[in-house]
């Protein structure tokens, strides 16, 4: 029996080693072959702003560095005169500066980028490294979590298929806080389900807010759900919940304070909502007609080019119980599945955008919840 256990440990270690080698290769490839999304320019600008450089110097430096380090085919798209928005931002320091409020509200991501930049990475690579590292860490947490409910060989194959799927791969090489945000929210959900730790949950949630300001939505939903559901222990007293939510709100205001220098509202969203139109222009007022047009466009695009419909199906599969569905019988995983759907819906109302990169932690979590649910209903032994 001891020999058999040694064999199991060796096999698990071998699977983990092969898995890490493959993910490391993909991570390095993602770093070598960035997506060169347009957002790389303002993120580079925000990182340079930490050096207290004047706006014109930031604008000129960003475009000079981009011209030297980004392949011409990609760079030309960023300054293409046929795209009035991008061309105007490339030519005008003021126009470029007006974009920065959308990017300064992600201080953890840009702060990490600045640290990588000061450590010797190029400015361009510094914007991609947080995504690549987050991708690698998500892969480890996913494998570790699946291994709790699946044999090592299935955890290995399942994790690999997921990490090599489009929603994950398409974000790994982006200059964006989305992969870092996914890591932190995924870690928070792990802390909720497996650690039952309010401290770790809150820690990851507060970091997620500093990564993306709109993560205040899932953070409030998660904390409130834990406080009022009878499926999660330890219980959160109303006083403690109020304190945690107050810290969240204060963090939100502290982050959004950065946009006041651009003439934006301290509450951020009133100013942000003015940009909710298909032309990406900054308006003086919110135009409801443009908002409806954008929402309709994003909804149709999302149905065709995202995995959101499949995700909703998986949530239904998670909620299905025999003999009948009833709210009083919901597990904590099923409750969170419903919360994920509510978060996505509310987020869409506040910003009409459907994109898989925003839902990565929910996709991953629901898959694991399903594995956990159906693993507990079978007694079939699987050696590996």
């Amino acid at each position: 029996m001891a020999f058999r256990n040694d064999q199991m440990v060796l096999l698990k270690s071998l699977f983990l080693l092969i898995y890490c080698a493959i993910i490391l290769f993909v991570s390095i490839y993602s770093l070598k072959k960035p997506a060169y999304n347009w957002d790389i320019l303002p993120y580079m600008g925000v990182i340079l702003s930490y050096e207290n450089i004047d706006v014109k110097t930031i604008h000129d430096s960003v475009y000079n560095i981009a011209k030297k380090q980004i392949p011409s085919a990609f760079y030309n798209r960023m300054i293409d005169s046929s795209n009035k928005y991008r061309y105007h931002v490339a030519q005008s320091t003021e126009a470029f500066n007006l974009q920065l409020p959308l990017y300064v509200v992600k201080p953890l991501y840009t702060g990490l980028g600045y640290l990588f930049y000061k450590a010797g990475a190029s400015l361009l690579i510094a914007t991609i490294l947080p995504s690549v590292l987050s991708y690698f860490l998500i892969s480890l947490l996913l494998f570790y979590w699946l291994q709790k409910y699946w044999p090592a060989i299935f955890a290995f194959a399942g994790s690999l298929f997921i990490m090599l799927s489009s929603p994950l791969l398409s974000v790994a090489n982006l200059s964006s806080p989305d992969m870092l945000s996914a890591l932190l929210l995924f870690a928070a959900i792990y802390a909720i389900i497996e650690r039952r730790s309010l401290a770790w949950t809150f820690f990851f949630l507060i970091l997620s807010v500093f990564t993306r300001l709109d993560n205040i939505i899932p953070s409030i939903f998660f904390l409130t759900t834990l406080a009022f559901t009878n499926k999660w222990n330890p219980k959160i007293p109303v006083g403690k919940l109020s304190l945690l939510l107050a810290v969240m709100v204060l963090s939100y205001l502290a982050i959004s304070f950065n946009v006041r220098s651009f003439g934006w509202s301290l509450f951020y969203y009133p100013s942000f909502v003015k940009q909710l139109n298909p032309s990406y222009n900054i308006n003086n007022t919110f135009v409801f007609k443009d908002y409806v047009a954008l929402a309709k466009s994003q909804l149709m695009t999302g149905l065709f080019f995202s995995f959101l419909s499949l995700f909703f199906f998986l949530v239904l599969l998670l909620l299905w119980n025999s003999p009948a569905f009833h709210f009083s019988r919901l597990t904590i995983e099923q409750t969170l599945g419903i919360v994920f759907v509510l978060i996505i819906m509310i987020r869409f109302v506040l910003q009409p955008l459907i994109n898989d990169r925003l839902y990565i932690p929910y996709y991953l979590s629901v898959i694991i919840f399903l594995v956990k649910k159906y693993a507990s209903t079978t007694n079939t032994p699987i050696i590996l």
Side-chain angles (χ1 to χ4, degrees):
M1 178 64 69
F3 177 74
R4 184 61 182 174
N5 289 337
D6 289 343
Q7 280 187 321
M8 294 295 292
V9 172
L10 181 61
L11 284 172
K12 288 181 179 181
S13 300
L14 181 60
F15 283 130
L16 179 59
L17 183 62
I18 296 172
Y19 176 72
C20 287
I22 295 173
I23 297 299
L24 182 61
F25 172 80
V26 174
S27 299
I28 294 173
Y29 182 84
S30 298
L31 193 61
K32 297 291 185 181
K33 297 290 184 180
Y36 298 117
N37 50 309
W38 186 86
D39 287 343
I40 196 171
L41 300 174
Y43 281 127
M44 288 166 64
V46 173
I47 291 174
L48 286 180
S49 71
Y50 290 136
E51 302 277 4
N52 294 317
I53 304 173
D54 65 272
V55 175
K56 187 178 187 312
T57 303
I58 290 175
H59 173 269
D60 294 345
S61 298
V62 164
Y63 278 92
N64 286 334
I65 293 172
K67 186 175 183 179
K68 293 177 181 177
Q69 298 185 9
I70 296 178
S72 58
F74 292 96
Y75 179 72
N76 289 336
R77 295 175 194 169
M78 297 179 178
I79 61 171
D80 187 1
S81 58
S82 64
N83 187 315
K84 294 181 179 180
Y85 170 73
R86 294 187 176 186
Y87 183 74
H88 181 53
V89 172
Q91 300 301 315
S92 170
T93 298
E94 181 182 357
F96 180 79
N97 194 48
L98 286 174
Q99 312 309 307
L100 296 188
L102 296 168
Y103 301 89
V104 297
V105 290
K106 299 154 185 177
L108 183 60
Y109 166 74
T110 54
L112 284 174
Y114 179 71
L115 290 177
F116 289 132
Y117 175 57
K118 297 304 291 185
S122 70
L123 185 59
L124 187 147
I125 293 298
T127 66
I128 304 165
L129 272 170
S131 295
V132 172
L133 291 176
S134 297
Y135 173 83
F136 186 79
L137 292 175
I138 286 175
S139 72
L140 295 181
L141 180 55
L142 177 65
F143 181 83
Y144 177 75
W145 199 350
L146 281 178
Q147 210 174 22
K148 286 178 173 288
Y149 304 104
W150 263 356
I153 187 170
F154 285 91
F156 163 77
S159 300
L160 196 59
F161 288 144
I162 292 171
M163 294 308 299
L164 297 181
S165 66
S166 175
L168 277 297
L169 284 179
S170 63
V171 191
N173 62 348
L174 281 180
S175 297
S176 164
D178 295 331
M179 191 61 88
L180 178 60
S181 171
L183 170 65
L184 294 170
L185 288 177
F186 189 44
I189 296 167
Y190 174 83
I192 291 171
I193 299 299
E194 301 297 341
R195 296 292 298 271
R196 301 278 171 153
S197 169
L198 179 61
W200 279 110
T201 300
F202 183 74
F203 173 73
F204 289 122
L205 289 178
I206 200 74
L207 287 182
S208 76
V209 173
F210 277 85
T211 302
R212 283 190 64 102
L213 197 59
D214 53 3
N215 280 337
I216 189 77
I217 299 171
S219 296
I220 291 175
F221 264 88
F222 289 164
L223 292 175
T224 305
T225 299
L226 296 183
F228 293 104
T229 184
N230 59 1
K231 304 296 183 180
W232 198 80
N233 287 306
K235 293 293 184 183
I236 306 176
V238 175
K240 180 179 286 189
L241 174 65
S242 300
L243 177 62
L244 296 178
L245 294 180
V247 173
M248 284 288 179
V249 172
L250 289 175
S251 298
Y252 177 95
L253 294 176
I255 297 167
S256 62
F257 185 82
N258 294 323
V259 303
R260 293 193 66 193
S261 60
F262 299 92
W264 282 40
S265 166
L266 175 63
F267 296 98
Y268 182 77
Y269 189 75
S271 298
F272 169 75
V273 76
K274 296 176 183 178
Q275 302 195 47
L276 294 182
N277 61 78
S279 63
Y280 297 96
N281 293 322
I282 295 178
N283 299 325
N284 293 323
T285 58
F286 173 69
V287 182
F288 183 72
K289 180 181 178 181
D290 287 343
Y291 170 85
V292 172
L294 179 62
K296 181 180 178 181
S297 172
Q298 285 295 321
L299 187 59
M300 295 306 296
T301 302
L303 290 175
F304 280 100
F305 299 106
S306 80
F307 289 85
L308 195 57
S309 296
L310 177 59
F311 168 74
F312 288 152
F313 170 78
L314 293 179
V315 172
L316 286 176
L317 188 60
L318 177 67
L319 293 176
W320 183 83
N321 282 323
S322 182
F325 173 85
H326 198 283
F327 280 104
S328 63
R329 301 194 189 101
L330 292 179
T331 64
I332 183 63
E333 291 86 1
Q334 291 172 323
T335 302
L336 284 179
I338 295 174
V339 169
F340 295 161
V341 173
L342 292 175
I343 290 169
I344 291 172
M345 293 173 63
I346 290 175
R347 195 192 185 287
F348 180 79
V349 171
L350 294 176
Q351 183 188 7
L353 175 66
I354 295 179
N355 198 309
D356 288 325
R357 60 188 169 86
L358 302 174
Y359 313 135
I360 287 173
Y362 313 133
Y363 289 177
L364 297 179
S365 298
V366 165
I367 290 172
I368 292 176
F369 294 170
L370 284 168
V371 169
K372 180 179 179 179
K373 176 182 178 179
Y374 290 103
S376 63
T377 63
T378 176
N379 297 316
T380 304
I382 304 177
I383 301 300
L384 295 180

